[in-house]
Amino acid sequence: MTRTTMTTTTPITIAIDGPAAAGKGTLAKRVAEAYGLPYLDTGLLYRAVGKLAHEAGTDLGDAEKVGEIARRLATDHLDDPALRGHEAGEHASRVAVHPQVRAALVKFQRDFAARPTGAVLDGRDIGTVIWPEARVKIFVTASPEVRARRRTDELLAKGREVEYERILAEVRARDARDSGREVAPLRPALDAHLLDTSELTIEMAFRAACDVIDSSMGGRNDV
Ligand code: DC
């Protein structure tokens, strides 16, 4: 069922950022569904660029060449289920450091955000760079240990052989790359609400996010 903010037709504009495996995708999807809003997982754009570059044999560190691939990205590239995989995430994080890549992807994200109903976008720099005007900004986080545990369990459930310690090292490396890059580093916007999910179930995190959204939009109308 859809939650609505009453008394207003103001678009509901929600930016959700946070590090890898903090649960922001799951949360953003549920929020979008609950409020009847279109949802864009912006990580998919970087994942698609990383995958296309990797498949073309392009050096992921070559900003010009990878930037060219980003400029030619088409929406049907985003449907590939392999983009959700672990390797695609690593490639994405490497190509996302290039200003040329980021610049090529800005317009698509801003056009999506400008939909008249409002929208939910999740990523790393939505509240800070892509959509500073979003009315609701949530920065979802969890300790690296909790995120690595969740990711390990997820991969084990899919039948993959993984070690917690290796995943933890990867989570830390990805955090360092995403937060340490010069352009649009991962960090909470000054006006973002911090949501630490370390000790929360998905349901609790969802409820907490709805409380933030309802109060930021100036009222609530629970269903
Ligand atoms: O959210 P994700 O795990 O799908 O993102 C994969 C990588 O893409 C992430 O490590 C950094 C990059 N990314 C980014 O730089 N900016 C975004 N708005 C979304 C993702």
Side-chain angles (χ1 to χ4, degrees):
M1 216 181 288
T2 302
R3 296 166 69 107
T4 49
T5 42
M6 359 56 348
T7 64
T8 172
T9 51
T10 311
I12 306 178
T13 53
I14 306 174
I16 300 184
D17 288 301
K24 63 185 186 314
T26 308
L27 184 68
K29 220 174 296 155
R30 276 202 65 181
V31 161
E33 225 172 76
Y35 288 84
L37 296 171
Y39 162 54
L40 178 65
D41 167 0
T42 66
L44 276 185
L45 303 172
Y46 296 90
R47 285 169 179 261
V49 173
K51 183 162 187 284
L52 289 170
H54 177 69
E55 284 170 355
T58 306
D59 173 4
L60 300 187
D62 187 330
E64 287 307 327
K65 284 198 182 138
V66 183
E68 186 50 40
I69 290 171
R71 283 190 285 279
R72 284 191 269 111
L73 190 71
T75 45
D76 46 338
H77 290 134
L78 306 179
D79 296 333
D80 182 351
L83 293 182
R84 309 264 172 205
H86 185 65
E87 194 186 30
E90 290 298 308
H91 292 155
S93 176
R94 290 180 57 199
V95 299
V97 302
H98 303 310
Q100 293 88 331
V101 169
R102 307 202 71 83
L105 302 179
V106 166
K107 185 175 182 311
F108 181 83
Q109 296 175 79
R110 291 198 177 141
D111 286 350
F112 193 97
R115 293 181 179 205
T117 48
V120 180
L121 270 69
D122 84 34
R124 301 290 188 289
D125 62 340
I126 307 304
T128 50
V129 174
I130 299 296
W131 206 15
E133 318 71 41
R135 184 120 169 225
V136 186
K137 295 180 189 171
I138 302 177
F139 193 87
V140 184
T141 188
S143 69
E145 291 77 12
V146 166
R147 289 185 282 129
R149 172 50 55 206
R150 287 180 187 157
R151 171 110 339 142
T152 306
D153 291 347
E154 215 176 272
L155 292 169
L156 288 173
K158 285 185 189 159
R160 296 267 305 273
E161 269 184 39
V162 285
E163 274 172 34
Y164 167 79
E165 290 301 335
R166 191 173 65 83
I167 299 285
L168 178 60
E170 284 176 5
V171 161
R172 290 204 163 114
R174 182 103 79 92
D175 284 356
R177 201 186 296 126
D178 291 349
S179 309
R181 66 181 177 224
E182 278 180 26
V183 188
L186 168 68
R187 61 176 170 77
L190 289 176
D191 52 349
H193 298 264
L194 295 187
L195 179 55
D196 187 332
T197 67
S198 302
E199 315 251 314
L200 303 183
T201 62
I202 292 173
E203 189 57 32
M204 288 156 83
F206 170 67
R207 293 276 150 209
C210 290
D211 287 345
V212 168
I213 296 162
D214 292 338
S215 63
S216 305
M217 294 304 300
R220 61 181 308 144
N221 186 15
D222 281 7
V223 288

